[in-house]
């Protein structure tokens, strides 16, 4: 299993770069950042610095969207970074939540996302793409260019689209039941589309908080540091409930039931511990969606995720123990999961 670190691009950017360097030293292979132009600093500028100050770390947004940049600009940015640093980027992409809503626009449609993935991937690989009637190609891209496109998804249509079209699937929660359900849906869609399901990389992204023990006090503090995540996921879940209803066979109630008590959301606190808009998130959801507890608890859940077909765990580290969780994963968790993966 690979490991990634996910950060917001809060200033100073030098701290983001420093944490990514720390992650690489601890065995992480991917560095991800949020992409929301109003809320945080421009990620691709910072990605360039991360790549310059690491040797093998692959970087990308978790996630960008089709609406805040022209698609040829997005593709050119990825292709330029790859030309400079050697195919070390991944285009994580979704419909757009905070980036679009904060700017007063709704998330993009799946049809537009599908078109964007096709264009960005093709241009980033040096191939031709149709930009709505005009065919273009970057003349400066040489042979060997790569740009994998990984799609974030929750709902049934999006999951099927990820399986049929994307190079990877990003699932932003670590619940074992939902992971099994959604990975199966994605891979079944790949088979139906005539693709090899083994060729789709599965990335689970969720907060991880390592405690010294499993005492009630330690676990309670960890839950409070990670409760924001249930609120963030709740935005997407609320959209699904609005579309499919509270009791729909199309969406598991294990995903949707908890948002009944949701009362809006203030993006000023998006992705931050202590978010006052996440009081509706119960402890059960934090425990299911996140990884909390002593190192052994993390190792056990990661092994279970890997058994469900997960190829990468991307660790959200927006809490009061960012450095220590990176170091503990490097010293205890990643080596243990790596050893377990050997035949």
């Amino acid at each position: 299993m690979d490991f990634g670190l996910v950060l917001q691009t809060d200033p100073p950017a030098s701290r983001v770069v420093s944490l990514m360097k720390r992650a690489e030293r601890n065995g992480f292979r991917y560095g991800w950042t949020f992409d929301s132009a109003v809320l945080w600093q421009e990620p691709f500028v910072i990605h360039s610095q991360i790549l310059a100050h690491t040797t093998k770390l692959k970087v990308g947004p978790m996630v960008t969207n089709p609406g805040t940049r022209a698609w040829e600009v997005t593709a050119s940015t990825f292709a330029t970074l790859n030309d400079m640093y050697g195919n070390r980027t991944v285009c994580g992409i979704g419909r757009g939540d905070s980036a679009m809503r904060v700017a007063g626009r709704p998330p993009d449609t799946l049809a537009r996302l599908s078109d964007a993935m096709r264009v960005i991937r093709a241009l980033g690989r040096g191939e031709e793409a149709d930009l709505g009637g005009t065919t273009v190609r970057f003349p400066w891209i040489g042979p060997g260019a790569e740009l994998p496109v990984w799609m974030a998804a929750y709902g049934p249509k999006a999951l099927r689209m990820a399986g049929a079209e994307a190079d990877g699937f990003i699932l932003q929660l670590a619940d074992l039941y939902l992971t099994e359900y959604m990975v199966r849906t994605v891979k079944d869609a790949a088979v139906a589309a005539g693709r090899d399901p083994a060729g789709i990389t599965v990335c689970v992204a969720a907060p991880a908080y390592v405690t010294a023990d499993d005492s009630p006090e330690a676990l309670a503090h960890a839950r409070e540091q990670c409760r924001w995540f249930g609120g963030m996921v709740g935005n997407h879940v609320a959209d699904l409930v609005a579309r499919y209803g509270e009791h729909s066979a199309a969406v598991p109630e294990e995903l949707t039931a908890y948002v009944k008590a949701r009362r809006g959301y203030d993006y000023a606190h998006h992705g931050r511990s202590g978010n006052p808009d996440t009081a509706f998130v119960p402890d059960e959801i934090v425990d299911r969606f996140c990884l909390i507890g002593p190192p052994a608890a993390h190792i056990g859940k990661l092994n279970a995720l890997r058994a469900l077909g997960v190829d990468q765990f991307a660790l959200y580290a927006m809490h009061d123990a960012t450095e220590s969780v990176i170091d503990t994963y490097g010293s205890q968790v990643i080596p243990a999961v790596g050893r377990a993966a050997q035949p």
Side-chain angles (χ1 to χ4, degrees):
M1 178 183 279
D2 283 331
F3 288 84
L5 177 67
V6 189
L7 299 173
Q8 295 170 339
T9 51
D10 287 314
S14 58
R15 173 167 164 75
V16 178
V17 176
S18 177
L19 289 170
M20 291 299 185
K21 291 168 61 179
R22 189 178 195 131
E24 184 178 58
R25 291 196 302 269
N26 277 282
F28 289 77
R29 293 188 59 199
Y30 288 79
W32 303 94
T33 67
F34 282 39
D35 178 16
S36 189
V38 174
L39 296 177
W40 300 290
Q41 292 184 329
E42 171 55 36
F44 290 108
V45 176
I46 299 172
H47 290 173
S48 183
Q49 286 296 298
I50 295 169
L51 289 167
H53 288 86
T54 56
T55 58
K56 296 181 180 179
L57 200 72
K58 296 183 179 181
V59 305
M62 188 172 281
V63 290
T64 193
N65 66 85
T68 54
R69 294 179 181 84
W71 302 345
E72 67 271 26
V73 174
T74 299
S76 180
T77 302
F78 279 111
T80 301
L81 291 174
N82 284 336
D83 184 65
M84 293 171 68
Y85 299 105
N87 289 333
R88 290 171 56 198
T89 69
V90 178
C91 176
I93 193 168
R95 293 175 57 223
D97 176 30
S98 63
M100 297 292 284
R101 296 186 209 248
V102 169
R105 302 190 294 271
D108 277 302
T109 64
L110 287 178
R112 183 170 167 82
L113 176 57
S114 174
D115 290 342
M117 290 199 302
R118 173 181 48 79
V119 168
I120 292 168
R121 180 196 290 116
L123 291 177
R125 294 177 178 177
E127 302 166 0
E128 290 185 345
D130 183 355
L131 292 176
T134 301
T135 299
V136 300
R137 176 183 175 275
F138 297 152
W140 46 269
I141 293 184
E146 299 175 5
L147 181 58
V149 176
W150 296 7
M151 177 181 161
Y154 291 111
K157 292 182 180 179
L159 292 170
R160 291 193 295 270
M161 195 174 100
E165 301 180 29
D167 302 303
F169 163 49
I170 297 172
L171 173 58
Q172 290 166 309
L173 54 80
D175 176 73
L176 296 180
Y177 173 82
L178 292 171
T179 297
E180 180 178 23
Y181 172 87
M182 294 184 182
V183 169
R184 182 173 65 249
T185 301
V186 167
K187 296 207 169 186
D188 286 349
V191 172
R195 306 178 70 201
D196 179 4
I200 300 174
T201 302
V202 176
C203 175
V204 159
Y209 196 100
V210 181
T211 60
D213 53 44
D214 57 1
S215 66
E217 295 79 12
L219 295 178
H221 180 76
R223 290 187 184 107
E224 290 311 311
Q225 289 295 305
C226 297
R227 199 175 303 277
W228 63 266
F229 185 67
M232 187 182 83
V233 174
N235 286 326
H236 306 286
V237 174
D239 286 346
L240 294 176
V241 171
R243 177 178 291 271
Y244 295 102
E246 290 188 8
H247 306 286
S248 170
V251 185
E253 288 199 33
E254 289 83 355
L255 177 64
T256 61
Y258 83 100
V259 301
K260 292 179 181 179
R262 181 177 180 269
R263 297 291 181 268
Y265 192 79
D266 183 354
Y267 280 93
H269 309 287
H270 189 55
R272 301 187 187 280
S273 60
N275 187 335
D277 297 315
T278 59
F280 73 94
V281 180
D283 288 352
E284 177 198 4
I285 289 294
V286 181
D287 292 347
R288 283 172 46 203
F289 285 12
C290 306
L291 278 73
I292 64 171
H298 293 247
I299 293 165
K301 191 165 187 178
L302 289 165
N303 283 332
L305 288 167
R306 190 185 59 230
L308 297 175
V310 175
D311 301 298
Q312 179 185 155
F313 175 62
L315 185 162
Y316 284 98
M318 281 73 79
H319 48 55
D320 65 1
T322 301
E323 288 86 351
S324 65
V325 76
I326 294 170
D327 293 345
T328 303
Y329 260 65
S331 63
Q332 298 184 54
V333 178
I334 293 175
V337 175
R339 282 197 298 271
Q342 298 303 314

